[in-house]
Every structure is written in structure tokens, then in C-alpha cells.
Amino acid sequence: MKRRACLLGGSLVSLTVAEPMQLPTPRHSSSSPEPSAGDYLVLAQDADGAGARLLELAEVHWAYTDRFRTELIFRGPLLSDDGLRHAGSLHLLRAPSVGFAERFAHEEPYQRAGLFSQVQVLPFMAVLSPRPPEPDQPSAQGAFVLARWAPVPRPSDSATALRPSGPAAEPWLLLGLLLTPDGHCTGAAGVLAQSPATARNTLLAWRGAAGLPHGPIQAWRWRRGGRR
């Protein structure tokens, strides 16, 4: 067994992770789910030198995520600026509990093999309905953007300024707020069918129009995940 640190809702926690053996299967009870059912954004950053091992374990990774077809609503790898190097991954999971989301994240084969330097499991409130692209669409590639700020009360679900509309909504494939376990808002994340630089500017414009706090913004290249 190994001890690994992860971020949950902005707090650092330590979890016990099993050594790679056989792949686990999803576990949950529809009759008595644990508290905190909802959407969770699982973000991973690659460890240095993970590239070759990621390729070796790709089929094992896909076999694992195939078991979560019902829960996975959006996913894809994060890439370097030139698009040539794997830099991390994102999975948006509709989970019956926070424990289910944690288990998905920390029993994933890349994580169990030590190929990630960091894994975050973040409660997520969608602002727009996710629309994963089809493999043959140009929007199968784009950018993932992440903005963080100090915790503030969560904006109202009915705040129309949060929802881009018309042409402003077209680039967004995914957009939502990051929440703490007690419901405060600590940032926003999204995927756009744009370059990282353009996507960053789009996020800046949306954040200003929605009246959300300032804070650092990161951007990565992104492409559609899953089997090719």
C-alpha cells in the first residue's frame, strides 16, 4: 500500500492507494448513496518523465474508464503548448458520492502506477450543459482553462450573467464553477474549441461579465479523450 496526497475541494488530504493489481469496478448503491452526490472534476498533472509509461498503460487506462461509461460525462488529455506532449488529464464525473469520485481518481491505472504528480477532485457546478465533441469534429481539439480565487459565496444558479448566450456560448464545450465541500465558489473551469491564448481571453471576458473574482488563470491544449 502507498500513501498519496491529493486536493479535495481545495484541501490537501492523504489517501491510501492500492498497488497496481487488478482493475476495480464501479461501486455505488442507488438506494442509499453517500452524501455529496453531484458532479466532480478530476484533474491530474503528469509526473516528470511519465510519457513513455503513459503509452504503455493506455489500453489499461481505457479499459478502466470504460467501466464508468454511465458516470463519465466529459474527458480528455491536457497537452503541452505545442500539442506534442501529454501533460495531464481531466474527467468530469457524475458520481453518487464524493467517495465514489475519490475512488475513481485514485484507483485509475496511471495514478496507481505513480505517473501523476498531483490529482485534484473538485466539486463542479455546470454553467452550461457539457457537449463533448464527436471525434471527427474540429472541436475535438481545443483548450482547457482553469481560474482560481479565494472562496466566495456560490453565485445563484439562476444568475443569467453566468450563462454565455448566442455567439458568446458557441466556443464553450464545458463551463462550470469549482466549489468547496461546504458550497463556496473557488474558481471556474472550462473547455473551448479555441487555442489556449484565445480561450484564456474568452474566460477573462466571461468572468468579467459574470462579476466573478479575479485570480490566476492557467490554460492547456486539450483534445477529446477515450479510444480512437
Side-chain angles (χ1 to χ4, degrees):
M1 307 289 286
K2 293 183 180 179
R3 300 291 293 179
R4 292 195 185 280
C6 73
L7 287 173
L8 174 58
S11 301
L12 188 66
V13 298
S14 179
L15 297 177
T16 300
V17 183
E19 295 285 357
M21 294 179 65
Q22 68 183 79
L23 296 180
T25 55
R27 282 191 312 221
H28 69 274
S29 169
S30 58
S31 59
S32 57
E34 300 172 41
S36 302
D39 292 351
Y40 294 88
L41 193 64
V42 179
L43 299 178
Q45 296 182 18
D46 290 357
D48 292 341
R53 292 293 314 280
L54 289 165
L55 288 174
E56 292 172 8
L57 292 176
E59 183 58 39
V60 181
H61 163 79
W62 290 332
Y64 177 77
T65 55
D66 282 349
R67 301 183 181 194
F68 294 85
R69 289 190 189 94
T70 302
E71 293 82 13
L72 276 173
I73 55 179
F74 200 97
R75 59 176 167 166
L78 309 182
L79 308 172
S80 59
D81 288 345
D82 59 12
L84 300 178
R85 181 177 59 82
H86 194 282
S89 67
L90 75 88
H91 293 83
L92 182 59
L93 197 70
R94 184 152 294 159
S97 70
V98 63
F100 185 101
E102 289 175 346
R103 184 167 182 268
F104 167 84
H106 293 283
E107 295 188 1
E108 192 280 324
Y110 292 157
Q111 167 68 357
R112 292 176 59 168
L115 303 185
F116 292 144
S117 63
Q118 183 185 70
V119 174
Q120 300 176 73
V121 181
L122 301 169
F124 183 84
M125 184 186 85
V127 171
L128 294 173
S129 297
R131 51 184 189 96
E134 295 299 325
D136 58 348
Q137 290 179 334
S139 57
Q141 297 191 42
F144 170 69
V145 287
L146 176 68
R148 303 303 298 264
W149 51 73
V152 297
R154 190 185 81 174
S156 169
D157 295 3
S158 61
T160 55
L162 285 178
R163 297 192 190 91
S165 59
E170 291 177 4
W172 292 100
L173 304 177
L174 176 71
L175 176 61
L177 300 177
L178 306 178
L179 306 177
T180 63
D182 63 0
H184 282 74
C185 179
T186 61
V191 172
L192 301 101
Q194 295 177 336
S195 70
T198 302
R200 186 179 185 279
N201 289 334
T202 301
L203 177 63
L204 276 170
W206 168 76
R207 187 177 67 180
L212 295 169
H214 291 268
I217 295 176
Q218 296 173 277
W220 293 264
R221 289 193 180 276
W222 171 92
R223 70 165 180 260
R224 177 187 177 275
R227 297 178 187 276
R228 296 292 177 262

